[in-house]
């Protein structure tokens, strides 16, 4: 049903920042949980951050204090602001809607 398209990935140096955006083809106003996941080579996909329609957020311990998730239910966007990036943040980042729908991912590479 809903199509998700991620953008904003790229190559940055350690300590730098990136802002990822997830654009949904349909309204997300009624979807409770939106989230960002990531998957590094040889590792399982893991939850990075999530946000409910009411604005409650949850973050992986490894990104707390550095990443911020937000959503715009009018523009149908979910963003992930990533600051103080570390090499271990290198992964493909995926947008998720309602635990069922996935985007194709955007590559984030952090050099040391």
């Amino acid at each position: 049903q809903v199509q998700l398209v991620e953008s904003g990935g790229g190559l940055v140096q350690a300590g730098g920042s990136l802002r990822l955006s997830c654009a949904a083809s349909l309204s997300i106003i009624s979807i409770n949980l939106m989230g960002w996941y990531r998957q590094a080579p040889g590792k399982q996909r893991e939850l990075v951050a999530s946000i409910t329609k009411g604005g409650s957020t949850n973050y992986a311990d490894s990104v707390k204090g550095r990443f911020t998730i937000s959503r715009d239910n009018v523009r149908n966007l979910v963003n992930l602001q990533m600051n103080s990036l570390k090499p271990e943040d290198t992964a493909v980042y995926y947008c998720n809607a309602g635990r069922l729908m996935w985007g194709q991912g955007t590559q984030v590479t952090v050099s040391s």
Side-chain angles (χ1 to χ4, degrees), residues 4-107:
L4 306 173
V5 180
E6 302 96 334
S7 63
L11 174 64
V12 298
Q13 291 184 305
S17 298
L18 284 174
R19 187 188 186 193
L20 305 183
S21 293
C22 173
S25 62
L26 297 175
S27 176
I28 62 169
I29 196 168
S30 62
I31 300 176
N32 181 52
L33 195 67
M34 301 292 297
W36 283 95
Y37 290 70
R38 67 186 181 188
Q39 186 167 25
K43 296 184 178 180
Q44 290 187 307
R45 190 171 298 184
E46 65 175 349
L47 176 68
V48 176
S50 64
I51 184 168
T52 68
K53 61 182 179 182
S56 297
T57 58
N58 184 56
Y59 297 93
D61 289 341
S62 60
V63 307
K64 287 181 179 177
R66 300 189 296 120
F67 291 10
T68 302
I69 188 170
S70 61
R71 65 189 288 173
D72 185 333
N73 293 328
V74 176
R75 298 166 64 193
N76 299 319
L77 297 173
V78 181
N79 299 321
L80 185 69
Q81 179 66 47
M82 305 185 295
N83 298 325
S84 302
L85 284 162
K86 304 175 180 179
E88 51 262 44
D89 294 319
T90 295
V92 177
Y93 284 70
Y94 298 90
C95 182
N96 176 272
R99 301 179 179 89
L100 298 176
M101 303 301 297
W102 297 90
Q104 293 301 304
T106 184
Q107 177 71 48

